[in-house]
Amino acid sequence: MTTILSTESLSKHYYHRDGLIEALSNVSVSIPEGSFVTITGPSGSGKTTLLMALSGLIRPTSGKIYFKGQELDTDSDKVLVDFRKKHTGFIMQNFSLIPYMTAMQNVLLPLSLNGLSAEKQKQRADELLELAGLANRKNHFPRELSAGQQQRVAIARALANKPAIIFADEPTGNLDPLLSVEILNLLKDINDKNRITIFMVTHSPLANQYGKVKIHLKEGRLMDHQ
Ligand SMILES: Nc1ncnc2c1ncn2[C@@H]1O[C@H](COP(=O)(O)OP(=O)(O)O)[C@@H](O)[C@H]1O
Ligand SMILES: [Mg+2]
């Protein structure tokens, strides 16, 4: 099986005025393509930091990241931006939709940056919103949608550029259990049908059950990786 993402001794230190924080220490993982990965651990254990380092949103202090066997030059902003744009989608707990844009416009935003014709962009946004179960909510603004629907828009948007990997930071953290299951099943579908690798940070034991590969962190260190 192909390894999509792997790390060697990945560390991230923050130099805070109150002292050095070792948010991640020597994390080495190897993730097969198409995995559904869950990342758990107590608050402050480095889950978000790991997600941001793996997705090229922050630069590690030391260690290496490989995407499909190729080392990412994490010193280069251009390499990190390209990696994020071409290969990754990101979903946050608070949905992070643009409030004055409709569901359709939110999904069109990343599509407008990739050189497709206007017609193709619209067609792809339609497909994505339908896949996310929002066929009849395309022209709604975020405030006109339920929390679960807003997260569906965020998922549709994350899929826009056909990423190889989706990173989700507590995507069900603001949802009640019923809506959480709907969102988790949508992510599972995307993982099964499109073979998109998913990394999902979660506090919830229910959400953790969706993981085929489980990463558990404690004080920035890897406890479990199976
Ligand atoms: N930008 C930052 N500057 C300084 N310290 C940070 C920063 N981001 C996170 N930290 C610290 O790094 C540790 C790990 O944080 P985080 O990755 O957000 O944990 P988790 O997502 O597991 O709750 C925490 O001790 C946190 O306070
Ligand atoms: Mg976090």
Side-chain angles (χ1 to χ4, degrees):
M1 218 180 316
T2 326
T3 299
I4 188 148
L5 204 61
S6 60
T7 65
E8 268 173 30
S9 287
L10 198 66
S11 295
K12 175 69 184 180
H13 298 168
Y14 292 110
Y15 300 91
H16 192 266
R17 58 188 172 276
D18 292 342
L20 173 72
I21 296 164
E22 298 182 46
L24 277 184
S25 299
N26 297 312
V27 171
S28 300
V29 293
S30 179
I31 308 298
E33 188 163 18
S35 300
F36 196 128
V37 185
T38 51
I39 303 173
T40 55
S43 190
S45 60
K47 304 182 294 298
T48 295
T49 303
L50 177 60
L51 213 63
M52 293 203 299
L54 291 176
S55 59
L57 277 167
I58 57 170
R59 184 169 285 138
T61 306
S62 59
K64 292 181 173 170
I65 302 176
Y66 299 85
F67 175 64
K68 296 189 171 169
Q70 287 241 309
E71 188 180 346
L72 278 185
D73 177 6
T74 52
D75 288 335
S76 158
D77 283 337
K78 183 176 174 346
V79 166
L80 294 183
V81 170
D82 276 358
F83 170 64
R84 289 206 306 270
K85 242 181 19 196
K86 286 195 193 134
H87 305 296
T88 76
F90 218 98
I91 301 165
M92 318 262 189
Q93 180 174 354
N94 57 9
F95 323 132
S96 56
L97 299 174
I98 314 250
Y100 54 84
M101 288 187 169
T102 63
M104 173 59 84
Q105 289 166 334
N106 267 281
V107 176
L108 279 171
L109 194 62
L111 288 169
S112 67
L113 306 172
N114 74 359
L116 287 178
S117 70
E119 194 185 334
K120 282 260 156 37
Q121 288 176 32
K122 173 76 172 47
Q123 195 183 340
R124 174 115 183 99
D126 272 328
E127 278 167 24
L128 288 165
L129 286 162
E130 279 156 33
L131 180 144
L134 292 166
N136 54 0
R137 293 290 182 276
K138 290 176 189 169
N139 299 316
H140 284 231
F141 289 96
R143 65 169 185 281
E144 298 170 336
L145 295 168
S146 72
Q149 289 167 339
Q150 290 182 51
Q151 194 57 301
R152 287 169 182 276
V153 178
I155 292 171
R157 185 182 56 181
L159 289 168
N161 293 326
K162 304 193 172 164
I165 311 174
I166 288 215
F167 295 95
D169 197 354
E170 306 202 35
T172 60
N174 280 340
L175 302 179
D176 65 41
L178 214 65
L179 285 179
S180 295
V181 168
E182 282 183 26
I183 292 298
L184 290 165
N185 287 339
L186 177 59
L187 290 173
K188 183 177 181 308
D189 262 12
I190 288 165
N191 174 248
D192 282 346
K193 294 190 187 135
N194 306 41
R195 288 202 37 90
I196 295 178
T197 305
I198 296 186
F199 286 82
M200 177 175 74
V201 168
T202 184
H203 267 119
S204 137
L206 171 80
N208 194 28
Q209 285 175 11
Y210 284 73
K212 301 268 166 55
V213 176
K214 295 185 182 177
I215 292 176
H216 187 69
L217 295 174
K218 205 174 164 189
E219 294 174 1
R221 288 171 195 281
L222 189 64
M223 291 287 121
D224 247 329
H225 173 40
Q226 61 204 4

